Amino acid sequence: MLRLGPVGRFVHRFKKWIGVAILAVAAIVLFTWSYPTMLVVIWTAVIVPVAFGIREFLDLRTSTG
């Protein structure tokens, strides 16, 4: 069993807001990029699910069962 200590509790407590922050950062990147190329859009589309996966991995409730 993975012991995350205070990190797992923090992520579980603020899980919704961490998700909002991930999406907000992705939107800011796409809307403020001067000329977003297809590569920028693809990388953003890859990084967002990875960030959500990390959030789920670090969540205390889902990582301990």
Side-chain angles (χ1 to χ4, degrees), residues 25-54:
V25 168
I28 289 169
V29 166
L30 290 176
F31 288 126
T32 60
W33 203 283
S34 298
Y35 297 101
T37 62
M38 185 61 77
L39 190 60
V40 173
V41 174
I42 290 171
W43 272 110
T44 304
V46 168
I47 290 172
V48 167
V50 169
F52 274 102
I54 292 170

